[in-house]
Amino acid sequence: GPEKYEDRGIIPRVLSHIFNEFKRRSDWSYQAHVSYLEIYNDAGYDLLDPSLEDNAKALEELPKVLLQEDEGGNIHLKNLSAHKATTEE
């Protein structure tokens, strides 16, 4: 990672901001979940897929994340995992 705090990328900055707001607004109850989707050659891949924990796989070996639109125009991502996050780390 970057040596300087201010050189962090957009994802660490956003997570830090979200969790700082959670702390600041202690009169509310919050729950955060994270997903990490990579789009490569017009295909989506779940970079937090639980099967990666056991052994590293090539990106193309992961199940593809499918984008689906329902009758109401809502977008759904099939095969994208969501993980509860209790801290920004």
Side-chain angles (χ1 to χ4, degrees):
E3 292 181 23
K4 294 182 182 177
Y5 183 81
E6 62 268 9
D7 292 338
R8 298 174 309 146
I10 187 73
I11 294 172
R13 287 175 185 242
V14 168
L15 288 174
S16 180
H17 178 75
I18 289 169
F19 281 96
N20 284 335
E21 285 297 307
F22 286 176
K23 287 178 194 169
R24 190 176 74 77
R25 300 176 185 202
S26 60
D27 54 325
W28 285 73
S29 176
Y30 298 95
Q31 202 174 80
H33 291 80
V34 295
S35 298
Y36 197 5
L37 171 68
E38 178 169 330
I39 300 171
Y40 177 74
N41 286 339
D42 294 324
Y45 300 96
D46 182 357
L47 297 185
L48 296 179
D49 185 291
S51 68
L52 288 175
E53 292 178 11
D54 297 331
N55 52 12
K57 293 182 179 181
L59 187 64
E60 293 81 10
E61 293 177 20
L62 292 173
K64 288 191 174 132
V65 175
L66 304 173
L67 185 136
Q68 297 176 330
E69 185 175 355
D70 65 20
E71 304 81 30
N74 300 304
I75 300 298
H76 302 275
L77 298 170
K78 186 175 180 188
N79 294 332
L80 183 62
S81 61
H83 305 268
K84 188 173 180 180
T86 56
T87 68
E88 66 180 275
E89 298 166 1

